[in-house]
Structure formats: structure tokens, C-alpha cells
Amino acid sequence: MLVLGGTWFVGHAIVAAALRAGWDVTVFNRGTSPSESNGARLIRGDRTRPGDVAALVASGPWDAVVDTSGYVPANVLAVAGALAPVANRYVFMSTVSVYRDWPVTPLSEDSEVLPCPPDAGPGYGTDTEDGPTRYGYQKSGCEAAVTAAFGEERATLLRPGVILGPREYVGRLPWWLRRVAAGGEVLAPSSPDRAIQPIDVRDVASFALRAIDQNLAGEYNLCRSVGSATFGELLHACAAATGTAPVFTWVPDDVLAQHGVRQWSELPLWRTFEGVWQVDSTKAQGVGLHCRPLHETAADTWQWLNASGAALVNERAAEIGLSPEKEARVLAAWHRSIDQHR
């Protein structure tokens, strides 16, 4: 197996799972991120340099390629095209953001994806508020590039939603764990019964291996079943993992909006659009997708954070989390409004 990327989050989990399963694993990346080979063969190179890609091709062949670092369609087209003669299957890590209507409406694999040509450059697509993003356009083009290079029967397109678990560098679950660990009154968004669909990174990795073993072609949404987990379950899992007993105060969506609380970032995983947590993953479940309980993801992530979690830092983490001052202001205003209506 050849893994493009392989050192941060999803790639690291795939490499670890493949090695445990007995695969001979080669990892190709620039070597600029913290890495642990743990038995994998490392090939240093930049996927944007044709000479590096040619050298990589010469070190093949492979039964499968798993691409966790492809973001620009033209580059993915070039890399996949070069690897097509020396690899049997190409598994591309995509995203639910490729769907035109995410996060507004419920989705399945039959939903329309954003239009993007397979040879598009990094400037293709636009960001719209609460709608399609350039990231989604680009990933859609990358999917088209993989299919163009490998054909429909040898291309596997994985579309996870929110991925949590150990080594999560964006910081969504780590922020909640740290906030819950601090104790006291915790501002919680909306209702404990609101359904959510995050998936553990290790379950994504397991499905990627399953796709290779079973020669699964086509598109697969990767998330837990609609309605199978709730926000309340997640926060109570954080409390159990950290050994704390905070008081969760659930504040309605409209009140949070009135106080300018930013969805998805200041309160991670909170977003009010209907389609955010309405992604159908029946197709993947039908061929073996398994999603572990939230309490296991929370406990293992907390253990990782206490062991070495501070070692992974990403610029995206800077926008995650509500400041203590703002949390206190919103909670105080909410309690005053409750008192006035008694």
C-alpha cells in the first residue's frame, strides 16, 4: 500500500491500521510534519514536483494507493495519472463538502456534487457564506481527477463528515474535552437531544482498508447513522473521560445567535442547518462501516491529549473555541432572561 500523506491525522490512522493488518506500507510526503514510521517505508518527496513523482512511480508497484493529501484537482490528476500503471486501486479521501447542498439539506451519495473539472487549478471555486466552499469545489474536482485516471471500477471516493479522535489537530473535540475538564457551568448549544454524526478517525481508516480488501468502487459517505448519537451524549462522554462533573446549561440557538456566537468554530460541532447531521451513510454501513461509541472516542482522545496532544498544532485550531469571558456573558444573559420570565 502507498499512502500519500500519512503523518498527521487520517493518514496516520490509515498507516497504523494497515501495518497492524500486515500490509507492506510505503508513505510518501515532504517530511515536514511530525512522523512516526512504525515499520512503514518512507519516501520523501513533493507531490507537486514531477521528478519526485516519477521517482515514486519507479519504486512501485502497489496493490492500492490511499491519497490523504490531495487538494488541487490538477495535481491529483497528474499524480493519479502517473500512478495508474503501477497501482490497482486509488482510494481518495474526500469530504461531504463536495455536495452542492451541504450543509443545508439532507444528503445521500445520489445528491448533486459541486461542478469542478479534473484539471482545475487551486483558484477554482468560490467561498459562499453558509454554502459551497472553494474547498468543496476543489475536492469535487479531485474526485473527478481520480476517476479520470483510474476509471470508475478502480476508484474509491470516501466522503467523511466530521472526523474526531486521537491526533485531531483542528481541535474540535480537544476543545470540548479541555472545557469540560475545567468544570463549572458549561455553556452547551441548543439541546442535548440534537442529533450529530461525527466519526472516529480509526473507523475511517478501517473502512479504507475494507474498501481495498473488498474492491469497493464508487462513492461512500462515512459517518454514523442519522439520529444514532446526540450532542448531550458527546458532552457527557467528555465528562466521563475527564472525570469531572460540570453543569451543562443548554442555551437555545436564537439566544446564541443574538450574542454573536459563531457556529462551527466558537462552539465546535454546533451548526443549525438541517443537513449538517442528516448525511445518509447506509451504503457504507451495508458493506461493513462500523462506528465506535462516542465515549470511546472521547476517552482515547483525552488520553492522547494528556500524553502528547500538545505536539500537534495547526493554524485552523486558532479559530476554535469560545473565550471564558464570552461564555460567562452569554450564560449570565441567559439566566437573566429566565429569571424575568418566572
Side-chain angles (χ1 to χ4, degrees), residues 85-257:
V86 294
N88 292 333
R89 175 162 299 282
Y90 200 104
V91 179
F92 182 72
M93 196 59 58
S94 188
T95 169
V96 294
S97 294
V98 300
Y99 292 113
R100 180 186 288 277
D101 292 329
W102 193 86
V104 179
T105 62
L107 300 168
S108 73
E109 286 87 357
D110 294 327
S111 300
E112 184 180 3
V113 298
L114 294 167
C116 182
D119 59 350
Y124 190 93
T126 58
D127 287 316
T128 56
E129 187 174 358
D130 298 327
T133 61
R134 178 171 293 175
Y135 170 68
Y137 279 101
Q138 294 275 312
K139 281 289 194 176
S140 181
C142 291
E143 290 188 358
V146 172
T147 303
F150 271 74
E152 292 184 357
E153 293 303 315
R154 295 198 296 147
T156 307
L157 310 174
L158 305 184
R159 297 171 178 167
V162 173
I163 306 176
L164 304 178
R167 300 181 65 88
E168 187 220 322
Y169 56 80
V170 175
R172 296 184 178 108
L173 181 54
W175 185 83
W176 277 116
L177 284 163
R178 290 176 175 127
R179 175 60 193 92
V180 169
E185 185 180 17
V186 175
L187 190 159
S190 184
S191 163
D193 297 325
R194 171 164 280 171
I196 58 175
Q197 291 181 278
I199 186 170
D200 191 290
V201 66
R202 294 162 294 183
D203 297 330
V204 172
S206 294
F207 189 84
L209 297 189
R210 180 179 293 272
I212 296 167
D213 290 338
Q214 297 184 6
N215 286 316
L216 301 179
E219 308 85 5
Y220 293 89
N221 294 333
L222 301 186
C223 53
R224 62 183 66 243
S225 301
V226 174
S228 63
T230 65
F231 220 118
E233 183 182 349
L234 175 68
L235 295 193
H236 285 292
C238 290
T242 58
T244 55
V247 176
F248 294 115
T249 298
W250 297 88
V251 179
D253 292 336
D254 59 340
V255 175
L256 296 175

Side-chain angles (χ1 to χ4, degrees), residues 32-44:
T32 60
S33 304
S35 65
E36 307 156 8
S37 64
N38 293 330
R41 178 173 59 146
L42 302 178
I43 298 179
R44 298 306 186 198

